């Protein structure tokens, strides 16, 4: 086995272990044992568990981000783009279950550029300008678009985490329901939303413009 082949073998084995046991539950000893090599071989290629974990996470981030970027970059009606984003994430989960499990797990060695939350932030940034265009067309404040982009992408991401385990109903049905909630909600946005519970309570100090203590 060549050096590059050994490296790929170790990445593949580690990916499965990290998905199954998490970062803390996986040891260099177990990685080496499954690869049928000694621990120094793992250290030689990656410098330790943190190094191989970083490679695994980076590959998954790039794979998912590439899939989403391809779909979002194709353009089209905003509703269709929301549909594509939802279905693409579910496609990724279905085809790369181990990878998604790793991405959504917290790890003490995950870097700012290699976490699921940062990935979701990258996708939300791509959605911002699409929402801003729709806000302007509907005479809504486009400055609120970044916040709504985070909400929209967060909805899709959290539902994807749920579907990771549930796997029912079919991904197309799940995507359709996500878009139903997101799009119909966006379609009926108010220009100046207020919390009805606070509006009915004149003594509340949480009303817009209320004095702070």
């Amino acid at each position: 086995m060549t050096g590059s082949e050994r490296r790929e073998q170790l990445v593949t084995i580690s990916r499965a272990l990290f998905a199954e046991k998490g970062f803390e539950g996986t040891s260099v000893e177990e990685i080496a044992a499954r690869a049928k090599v000694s621990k120094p071989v793992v250290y030689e290629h990656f410098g330790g568990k943190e190094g191989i974990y970083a490679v695994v996470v980076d590959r998954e981030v790039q794979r998912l981000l590439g899939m989403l970027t391809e779909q979002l970059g194709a353009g089209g009606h905003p509703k269709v783009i929301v549909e594509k984003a939802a279905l693409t994430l579910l496609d990724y989960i279905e085809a790369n279950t181990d990878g998604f499990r790793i991405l959504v797990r917290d790890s003490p060695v995950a870097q700012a550029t290699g976490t699921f939350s940062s990935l979701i932030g990258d996708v939300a940034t791509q959605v911002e300008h699409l929402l801003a265009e729709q806000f302007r067309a509907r005479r809504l404040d486009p400055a609120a678009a970044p916040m709504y982009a985070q909400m929209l992408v967060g909805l899709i991401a959290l539902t994807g985490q749920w579907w990771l385990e549930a796997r029912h109903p079919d991904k197309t049905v799940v995507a359709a329901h996500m878009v139903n909630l997101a799009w119909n909600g966006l379609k009926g946005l108010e220009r100046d939303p207020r919390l009805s519970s606070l509006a009915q309570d004149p003594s509340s100090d949480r009303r817009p413009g209320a004095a702070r203590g």
Side-chain angles (χ1 to χ4, degrees):
M1 187 176 291
T2 65
S4 60
E5 289 172 339
R6 177 66 72 190
R7 183 180 176 87
E8 288 304 312
Q9 179 206 29
L10 292 172
V11 168
T12 300
I13 289 172
S14 299
R15 181 177 184 268
L17 284 170
F18 289 137
E20 178 186 350
K21 301 184 175 184
F23 177 81
E24 293 295 345
T26 301
S27 66
V28 171
E29 288 84 355
E30 191 166 9
I31 294 172
R34 289 205 183 182
K36 297 181 180 179
V37 298
S38 63
K39 287 196 299 181
V41 173
V42 179
Y43 288 115
E44 177 186 349
H45 283 279
F46 299 99
K49 185 172 67 170
E50 293 81 2
I52 197 167
Y53 181 85
V55 171
V56 170
V57 169
D58 183 66
R59 288 189 179 187
E60 294 304 322
V61 167
Q62 295 306 317
R63 180 180 291 115
L64 177 53
L65 188 58
M67 292 171 63
L68 288 167
T69 300
E70 179 181 0
Q71 292 299 324
L72 295 177
H77 190 279
K79 183 180 180 182
V80 174
I81 292 174
V82 174
E83 291 176 354
K84 287 180 178 180
L87 194 54
T88 297
L89 179 61
L90 296 177
D91 283 340
Y92 170 81
I93 293 172
E94 185 175 59
N96 301 276
T97 300
D98 282 355
F100 190 72
R101 289 188 193 281
I102 293 168
L103 286 181
V104 298
R105 276 197 168 112
D106 291 328
S107 167
V109 299
Q111 302 299 312
T113 56
T115 64
F116 188 61
S117 59
S118 67
L119 172 63
I120 293 305
D122 290 342
V123 176
T125 299
Q126 297 184 49
V127 174
E128 284 178 18
H129 73 281
L130 300 171
L131 290 182
E133 292 174 4
Q134 289 298 305
F135 277 28
R136 292 189 187 94
R138 296 171 186 272
R139 297 182 179 179
L140 299 170
D141 183 6
M147 176 171 60
Y148 279 91
Q150 293 287 341
M151 296 176 191
L152 178 60
V153 176
L155 163 68
I156 295 173
L158 286 175
T159 305
Q161 290 185 15
W162 165 80
W163 191 74
L164 172 68
E165 304 300 338
R167 295 302 175 101
H168 180 80
D170 182 79
K171 63 183 178 182
T172 57
V173 176
V174 175
H177 279 284
M178 280 195 282
V179 176
N180 184 38
L181 173 61
W183 184 254
N184 287 324
L186 289 170
K187 191 166 59 174
L189 286 182
E190 298 175 347
R191 290 189 184 183
D192 189 21
R194 292 284 191 271
L195 296 177
S196 57
S197 60
L198 297 185
Q200 294 170 2
D201 182 4
S203 65
S204 174
D205 62 357
R206 293 185 180 180
R207 287 172 297 143
R212 301 295 182 191

